[in-house]
Amino acid sequence: MADEKSKPPVSPITTREQDFDDEHHDQPASQTSNTQSSNLPPPGSGEDVAPPKPPRPVNANPLQQAENTLKEAFPSIDLAVIKAVLRASGGNVEPAFNALLGLVSRRNG
């Protein structure tokens, strides 16, 4: 009888072996599917919805976008100078950026 008192109490959790599988064996196989995937429509069902297109920028003109980009990068330079440098670089932002960078470094140096 002394052996019975030294044993820890038995609980439903400790009486069965621990199962670390994601599948629940007490449920039928039809109920063990992932609940997240059941909320999605099957592929090719015609219910696939593409995400909305991002809004177009207000200034769809590439030259205007380039001017805005350069003005943001060089707020201390007059817009007329930025437009002239951009025009001289053929509308290409990278050479215009480099020219304006050189202009600013000469002003500050």
Side-chain angles (χ1 to χ4, degrees), residues 6-86:
S6 64
K7 290 182 182 179
V10 178
S11 72
I13 294 173
T14 59
T15 58
R16 60 187 157 114
E17 187 176 329
Q18 295 292 321
D19 183 17
F20 296 103
D21 287 341
D22 289 340
E23 296 179 16
H24 300 287
H25 296 288
D26 356 332
Q27 295 178 351
S30 63
Q31 293 180 358
T32 60
S33 65
N34 190 350
T35 56
Q36 291 177 344
S37 64
S38 65
N39 295 337
L40 299 174
S45 67
E47 294 183 33
D48 295 340
V49 178
K53 291 183 180 180
R56 285 190 166 186
V58 176
N59 303 323
N61 181 1
L63 188 59
Q64 185 66 39
Q65 287 179 337
E67 288 175 9
N68 290 342
T69 300
L70 293 171
K71 186 61 182 170
E72 285 179 29
F74 302 99
S76 63
I77 297 181
D78 189 37
L79 185 59
V81 174
I82 291 175
K83 286 182 179 184
V85 170
L86 189 58

